[in-house]
Amino acid sequence: MEVAKKNIIYQGNSVISIENLPDYSHPVVIKKLSKQHSSQRNILSLEKEYQMTSNLNTVEGVRKVLEKKSIENKPVLILEYIEGETLRDYIKEKTFDLRVRLGIAVELTRVLEKIHQQNVIHLDLNSKNILIENKQQAVYYIDLGSASSIKTGSHQKVRPDQMLGTLAYISPEQTGRINRAVDERSDLYSLGIVLYELFTGQLPFESKNPAELIYQHITRIPSSPSELKPEIPQVVCNIIIKLLSKNADDRYQSAAGVKTDLEKCIQRLIPNNTIEEFPLGEVDYSSRFKFSQKLYGRESELNELVDAFKSACIENPLLFFVGGFSGIGKTALIEEIQKPVSENKGYFIMGKFDQYLMTTPYSGITLAFEGFISQILAEPEENFIEWRDNIQSAVGDLGKVLTDVIPAMGELLGTQPDIPQLGGQEAENRFNYVFINFLSAAAKKEHPLAIFIDDLQWIDAASLKLLKVIETDFDQPGLFVIGAYRDNEVDNSHPLMDFISKREEKSMQLRLMKINDLNEQHLEDFLSDTLKTDRGIKELEEIIFEKTHGNPFFSRRLLSSLNEEGRIIYDSEINNWVWNIADIKSETIADNVADLLAKNIAALPEEIKNILSLAACIGNRFDIHTLALISGLSEPEVLKLLTESLSGKYILESDSDFEFVHDQVQQASYALVTEEDRPRVHLKIGRKLLSSATEDELDEGLFNVVHHFNASIPFLESESEKITVAELNLKAAHKARSATAFAEGFAYAVQGLALLDFDSWQNHYDLTMAIHNEAAELSYLTGQYDRLDEIEGLIHKNAQSILDRARAFYIRTMIDTDQGRLLESIETGIGALAELGITIPREPSNEDIERAEATFTEALATRSIEVLAHLPEMTDRRALAAMEIMAAVLLNAYIASPPHLPLLTYCGASLSLQYGNGQ
């Protein structure tokens, strides 16, 4: 459908136009995505706008959505047409008195109150998303693409790279730079910005620099509106400033409370535009159960953490590990440093390891740096270019080392040139070198980097090795690495504990902290602040403490459960929370959070439990597309289930992804699938992912696909499928080895071997040989020599040519070298070369050396300097295998058998003259 330019009223990520359609007797607004192939994020935003607006179609003052349809294979919303103008234009173009402004303010709060009563928060409230209708001057809210459902006991947080809303209007918690959840009070902050603009004609915070604007929202107290417009009554200024409180607990708690105070202003307004002051918020109560967002009982720990961050910024880089039981509040404590990081113009990024994906190398670190790249991509173009150039300069022409491990890095640096394949230790050294160079560009005094890695008890070997490299090789201020782990799930034999205890003298400073449960006073303070009363709190605290022992996560879940069961309720007559202690004492309360979660989840509707269980099988983080693929539902259906039924309570929405609010929620959801059925579910997921993925998608998500197949091995139905999964494991092993994740690669290779039948050498020779060679190399790189003997024996027994055996010979020479058996290494190499057609005497004489020199000199004499300078790349497989083996034993010959050195040198040089440049 072609849209005339004159009908277009907005064009950006979406195109909004006013049209006349045959099915409607009046003009309508059409909203569609502007690009032919729009991002998943924009598609989901349009779908969410449809769902959220549909939920509010009965609310007077919200523009209605008439239908959703597909036009030219693109999703389109048909919206109500309201003849009018945006509030922003209305403010600029109209002259109106204080009473009219107050009237508009009351209408804004009235409609917002209705929206919140429907358990929806707008999250993009600004003067361009508010319409003033021409005839009656009625107020309408529009554009709910960022809106979210808000449920009792839910907790929705924003990541720094996600940042919801329009920057000039967003609340501090919407920036993702402070450790606070978004809820109705986030809308109230944005309403405060709109009212500031309504009464003064200006915004309280203005800057062309996004980072500066974010900083102002988080830290700067706005000027009173009366400083700009002295005629504005002080009580109106007080209302606006209260709405703009940085701490959500200090703002109005409900739109109804704001509306009541604004109505009082109209009632008390006298002709000279003065209003007698009165106490604010006297009827400002929220009937929705919300936890206080303060941090309790962690003052000294937080001070220590902040001091450590400041020290890392200006003195030396620092590692800081925080241990404690699950649910104890480690993450909540660590995320508190987001504000000081922002105040220092730094970047806070976080990743976590997944208990069900422990063979995926670098998963937690990759996740953290994906967030870092997202923040960089959101910077103004000038900043983005500077970042790109600095990082590219730091990594040089070896950027592919990073993009292969952190695919998101490709969005920043673009396509990187290919890099030569290197052996195990050389590849590892190169990776470490490039990563430290990248980190040195990312973390500096002027823009410090705080990296939070959660759940270190599930860290993979490659990630732990990288942490060691960071610890020993990074040496400039600006880097603060924080790790959290469950200290009850690691003992002295755990690799993490070994890392902590065996630190080198040159290492970065490491600090350790243990977090304990809250004491009874802390829990009492938390309950008092949450329930807004001191009456009966002590008795309630004793019951909660008896069950939870002060574990914050368990305490919150138990309180939510009591509220949902009607045992803690809001009494509107007295505007307070009430409960019956005897009733609560008589209730059978779960003894642990796992049982409580299992009980709560079991009570959910069947379709929601199914979605939760499938999501848990995918991992801690999952996306709509994958969940729809394996559930058989459409993406809009999945989105509706997640956002309307679960969001904030069991899962967190994170851009186009979702994640479980806590590991224990994922565990409880995973437990919905019986142990007997889990392999079948993983097999279904693996098959769906494999069949739907393009080649590039499969390469990027390879470890994830292989994980699901490997979790379902007993249920693979056919020989061909086993071979397919073996091939996938081979690819995963090779990819892990390329990323220097040798232990993980070896696990994949071993799994690939286990999938091969006894006759695979005959029926699938190439695959069988490739897996055995990969397993042999990775067993060497991981020091598992006992397995190598077995694998090497099978290779020599079944290989059909010396070329297929050459890699095993090379690995054996390397093992002999590592173990100091230099003469044995040379002997193995000479034997292999003989099978490749190159004879090297085991006890060379002077005549042998002179003969080799003469042969080489004669061949060299027939080539000009120009020909030598442009020798082609060696491609002959036999010559390449010989060169690799000679390179492996050359240094050994220099040390242990000097007569072999010139022979090997002349032989290699002759091969280069004949076949081109090799190693």
Side-chain angles (χ1 to χ4, degrees):
M1 178 181 65
E2 292 294 329
V3 178
K5 287 187 177 180
K6 64 180 181 180
N7 294 336
I8 294 176
I9 55 177
Y10 174 81
Q11 190 158 10
N13 288 330
S14 59
V15 176
I16 303 175
S17 59
I18 303 170
E19 300 293 324
N20 290 293
L21 297 182
D23 295 341
Y24 295 93
S25 59
H26 48 77
V28 294
V29 172
I30 295 180
K31 184 173 185 176
K32 64 179 182 179
L33 299 176
S34 57
K35 296 180 180 178
Q36 184 63 37
H37 303 289
S38 296
S39 68
Q40 185 73 7
R41 177 179 183 176
N42 290 334
I43 293 172
L44 287 175
S45 177
L46 198 70
E47 177 61 39
K48 186 193 287 187
E49 180 172 0
Y50 172 72
Q51 290 186 8
M52 293 295 119
T53 310
S54 297
N55 292 342
L56 299 173
N57 266 359
T58 59
V59 175
E60 181 186 354
V62 175
R63 181 174 65 184
K64 294 178 174 55
V65 59
L66 305 176
E67 64 174 310
K68 181 186 69 172
K69 62 194 304 184
S70 179
I71 297 178
E72 297 175 353
N73 296 319
K74 293 171 68 174
V76 167
L77 298 186
I78 311 297
L79 301 158
E80 177 185 13
Y81 171 59
I82 297 165
E83 188 173 350
E85 58 187 323
T86 68
L87 179 60
R88 178 175 298 179
D89 291 337
Y90 190 85
I91 293 169
K92 289 180 180 178
E93 297 169 4
K94 299 288 191 298
T95 300
F96 44 103
D97 61 21
L98 179 61
R99 184 173 293 275
V100 172
R101 294 179 198 271
L102 286 169
I104 293 173
V106 168
E107 280 302 291
L108 288 172
T109 53
R110 180 190 65 78
V111 178
L112 189 59
E113 177 188 8
K114 299 295 183 184
I115 292 173
H116 290 168
Q117 286 173 351
Q118 298 299 314
N119 292 322
V120 172
I121 46 178
H122 193 290
L123 294 180
D124 193 15
L125 202 160
N126 64 76
S127 60
K128 288 183 70 175
N129 282 342
I130 298 167
L131 296 180
I132 304 295
E133 186 262 343
N134 284 344
K135 294 181 180 177
Q136 304 295 326
Q137 309 294 290
V139 166
Y140 288 87
Y141 284 83
I142 64 172
D143 197 357
L144 279 88
S146 298
S148 181
S149 294
I150 190 80
K151 301 294 183 185
T152 292
S154 66
H155 190 73
Q156 300 188 57
K157 290 171 72 173
V158 180
R159 293 205 319 259
D161 57 303
Q162 186 185 3
M163 201 160 58
L164 299 172
T166 302
L167 193 52
Y169 295 81
I170 60 174
S171 63
E173 56 270 22
Q174 283 176 263
T175 67
R177 266 72 171 181
I178 65 171
N179 182 31
R180 295 293 180 267
V182 297
D183 56 28
E184 306 100 307
R185 296 169 298 180
S186 303
D187 278 351
L188 295 179
Y189 181 94
S190 299
L191 175 67
I193 302 279
V194 170
L195 295 187
Y196 198 104
E197 185 179 8
L198 173 65
F199 283 93
T200 69
Q202 298 181 38
L203 293 172
F205 308 120
E206 293 189 87
S207 174
K208 293 182 180 180
N209 185 325
E212 176 63 24
L213 203 47
I214 290 170
Y215 177 79
Q216 290 176 350
H217 280 302
I218 293 173
T219 63
R220 199 181 121 196
I221 304 300
S223 303
S224 173
S226 61
E227 292 185 24
L228 301 174
K229 301 284 184 179
E231 65 273 16
I232 301 174
Q234 188 57 47
V235 67
V236 175
C237 297
N238 294 344
I239 291 171
I240 295 172
I241 294 300
K242 183 176 176 66
L243 285 166
L244 294 178
S245 296
K246 305 303 180 187
N247 187 341
D249 290 336
D250 296 331
R251 294 175 207 150
Y252 281 92
Q253 301 300 294
S254 67
V258 188
K259 183 186 70 173
T260 298
D261 284 353
L262 287 170
E263 287 174 337
K264 284 183 182 178
C265 289
I266 293 178
Q267 293 162 6
R268 299 181 180 210
L269 179 64
I270 58 177
N272 66 352
N273 278 349
T274 59
I275 301 172
E276 182 183 351
E277 293 193 38
F278 55 86
L280 302 183
E282 287 187 313
V283 294
D284 180 33
Y285 302 102
S286 174
S287 61
R288 193 175 71 79
F289 191 72
K290 291 194 289 279
F291 295 120
S292 170
Q293 296 194 45
K294 286 168 57 179
L295 200 64
Y296 294 85
R298 304 285 186 242
E299 291 80 8
S300 62
E301 291 91 343
L302 179 58
N303 289 336
E304 184 180 348
L305 195 62
V306 172
D307 288 345
F309 166 69
K310 292 178 179 177
S311 175
C313 289
I314 60 177
E315 295 176 5
N316 296 298
L318 187 65
L319 283 173
F320 201 115
F321 284 177
V322 180
F325 275 71
S326 174
I328 206 74
K330 301 182 295 295
T331 301
L333 169 67
I334 293 167
E335 288 182 340
E336 282 291 306
I337 71 162
Q338 289 183 77
K339 184 175 179 180
V341 169
S342 293
E343 290 172 349
N344 281 270
K345 299 181 180 179
Y347 294 81
F348 178 89
I349 61 176
M350 65 179 293
K352 69 191 304 295
F353 291 102
D354 192 316
Q355 59 189 317
Y356 304 120
L357 298 172
M358 291 175 65
T359 59
T360 301
Y362 306 115
S363 60
I365 293 172
T366 298
L367 190 61
F369 281 100
E370 284 176 354
F372 178 66
I373 298 303
S374 294
Q375 290 186 53
I376 299 304
L377 293 174
E379 296 266 2
E381 186 175 6
E382 181 182 347
N383 295 10
F384 162 77
I385 292 173
E386 183 179 359
W387 269 110
R388 182 196 63 196
D389 292 348
N390 287 342
I391 291 174
Q392 186 67 74
S393 176
V395 302
D397 56 2
L398 298 175
K400 201 169 192 301
V401 171
L402 288 180
T403 58
D404 282 349
V405 174
I406 309 172
M409 192 71 71
E411 297 182 55
L412 175 65
L413 301 180
T415 303
Q416 296 293 290
D418 289 333
I419 51 178
Q421 291 290 322
L422 296 179
Q425 189 60 55
E426 293 85 355
E428 187 172 12
N429 291 342
R430 180 176 65 185
F431 176 77
N432 295 342
Y433 168 78
V434 174
F435 190 86
I436 291 298
N437 281 358
F438 157 65
L439 206 54
S440 297
K444 294 179 177 291
K445 275 186 176 182
E446 53 267 31
H447 48 73
L449 179 63
I451 308 173
F452 170 33
I453 308 294
D454 205 356
D455 289 322
L456 289 178
Q457 71 275 2
W458 298 320
I459 192 170
D460 60 278
S463 296
L464 188 57
K465 193 183 296 184
L466 185 57
L467 270 185
K468 293 177 182 177
V469 171
I470 294 171
E471 178 196 34
T472 55
D473 293 358
F474 192 90
D475 60 0
Q476 68 186 34
L479 179 65
F480 189 44
V481 180
I482 320 109
Y485 63 97
R486 299 180 184 178
D487 56 3
N488 59 306
E489 294 187 18
V490 295
D491 55 25
N492 291 334
S493 64
H494 193 285
L496 181 65
M497 295 296 99
D498 186 63
F499 166 68
I500 291 174
S501 62
K502 295 180 180 178
R503 301 181 60 253
E504 300 181 17
E505 290 184 6
K506 294 181 180 178
S507 297
M508 292 164 54
Q509 185 181 356
L510 171 64
R511 296 190 192 177
L512 300 176
M513 176 188 289
K514 179 177 173 59
I515 302 296
N516 296 310
D517 287 316
L518 301 180
N519 63 34
E520 291 188 69
Q521 185 59 56
H522 298 146
L523 184 57
E524 186 176 332
D525 293 341
F526 165 67
L527 292 172
S528 179
D529 290 344
T530 294
L531 298 171
K532 311 295 184 187
T533 183
D534 293 325
R535 183 185 55 79
I537 286 292
K538 183 60 180 175
E539 289 180 286
L540 180 62
E541 174 271 316
E542 289 172 351
I543 295 174
I544 301 295
F545 191 84
E546 180 184 357
K547 283 295 181 183
T548 69
H549 305 291
N551 182 282
F553 181 69
F554 191 4
S555 299
R556 285 170 178 262
R557 283 289 168 175
L558 181 52
L559 278 172
S560 288
S561 185
L562 292 172
N563 172 250
E564 289 165 12
E565 293 169 2
R567 300 180 188 282
I568 297 178
I569 62 173
Y570 185 77
D571 188 333
S572 57
E573 291 187 6
I574 62 172
N575 288 322
N576 217 330
W577 293 95
V578 297
W579 55 90
N580 185 305
I581 285 292
D583 180 44
I584 293 175
K585 285 181 177 179
S586 67
E587 169 69 3
T588 302
I589 298 175
D591 290 324
N592 55 66
V593 71
D595 290 344
L596 180 64
L597 285 169
K599 173 187 173 184
N600 291 342
I601 290 175
L604 294 170
E606 201 62 35
E607 60 182 353
I608 293 180
K609 287 193 291 186
N610 183 52
I611 282 291
L612 268 183
S613 64
L614 289 176
C617 290
I618 295 172
N620 184 266
R621 178 172 289 200
F622 52 92
D623 63 271
I624 294 291
H625 175 72
T626 302
L627 199 49
L629 192 68
I630 64 176
S631 68
L633 300 174
S634 68
E635 291 187 21
E637 288 172 327
V638 171
L639 181 65
K640 186 173 183 178
L641 284 174
L642 293 178
T643 55
E644 293 190 1
S645 305
L646 301 171
S647 186
K649 188 169 183 184
Y650 297 100
I651 59 172
L652 296 173
E653 189 175 353
S654 183
D655 206 0
S656 57
D657 290 341
F658 288 81
E659 58 186 276
F660 285 94
V661 297
H662 196 274
D663 295 320
Q664 295 208 35
V665 176
Q666 183 189 6
Q667 291 168 358
S669 301
Y670 194 62
L672 292 171
V673 186
T674 65
E675 288 192 24
E676 180 183 358
D677 286 339
R678 285 174 192 172
R680 293 187 179 90
V681 175
H682 283 293
L683 182 58
K684 177 182 178 182
I685 295 172
R687 285 171 174 168
K688 289 283 189 182
L689 292 176
L690 179 62
S691 64
S692 65
T694 64
E695 186 174 340
D696 288 343
E697 288 170 342
L698 179 59
D699 181 63
E700 186 170 330
L702 180 62
F703 295 129
N704 188 35
V705 174
V706 174
H707 157 72
H708 290 295
F709 276 117
N710 286 351
S712 59
I713 296 297
F715 291 89
L716 296 178
E717 295 176 351
S718 65
E719 177 68 16
S720 63
E721 189 166 48
K722 287 182 180 179
I723 292 301
T724 296
V725 177
E727 290 172 339
L728 289 171
N729 273 282
L730 173 60
K731 289 179 180 178
H734 181 73
K735 183 174 182 177
R737 177 164 63 86
S738 298
T740 72
F742 303 137
E744 292 74 18
F746 183 64
Y748 288 123
V750 168
Q751 184 63 76
L753 291 175
L755 285 161
L756 300 175
D757 289 335
F758 66 92
D759 60 354
S760 63
W761 284 105
Q762 288 74 43
N763 298 335
H764 305 284
Y765 175 79
D766 289 342
L767 171 64
T768 305
M769 177 55 71
I771 294 179
H772 278 79
N773 272 325
E774 192 72 43
E777 182 151 1
L778 285 161
S779 64
Y780 155 62
L781 291 170
T782 53
Q784 302 190 57
Y785 299 147
D786 55 335
R787 292 301 305 271
L788 177 60
D789 292 339
E790 173 193 350
I791 296 166
E792 186 180 39
L794 288 169
I795 291 173
H796 286 307
K797 177 182 176 181
N798 293 283
Q800 296 175 0
S801 73
I802 177 56
L803 288 177
D804 290 338
R805 298 168 58 209
R807 194 68 185 168
F809 277 124
Y810 166 76
I811 293 168
R812 178 55 59 184
T813 65
M814 297 301 293
I815 291 175
D816 287 340
T817 300
D818 289 351
Q819 296 186 339
R821 300 193 300 266
L822 304 188
L823 290 175
E824 289 88 338
S825 172
I826 296 169
E827 183 72 19
T828 300
I830 289 173
L833 290 171
E835 292 196 42
L836 288 164
I838 300 170
T839 302
I840 302 287
R842 280 179 164 74
E843 295 183 5
S845 64
N846 290 333
E847 289 77 12
D848 292 328
I849 297 171
E850 290 170 359
R851 192 179 305 113
E853 181 183 10
T855 301
F856 171 70
T857 303
E858 182 179 345
L860 187 63
T862 62
R863 274 86 166 174
S864 66
I865 296 296
E866 184 177 354
V867 169
L868 291 175
H870 296 89
L871 285 174
E873 182 180 346
M874 185 180 290
T875 57
D876 185 87
R877 289 182 60 204
R878 191 174 289 265
L880 283 168
M883 291 290 283
E884 184 174 51
I885 290 171
M886 282 188 280
V889 300
L890 199 62
L891 181 59
N892 295 345
Y894 173 78
I895 297 170
S897 182
H900 278 109
L901 181 62
L903 279 178
L904 291 167
T905 303
Y906 287 133
C907 185
S910 296
L911 282 176
S912 291
L913 290 177
Q914 184 176 358
Y915 295 104
N917 284 319
Q919 292 184 345

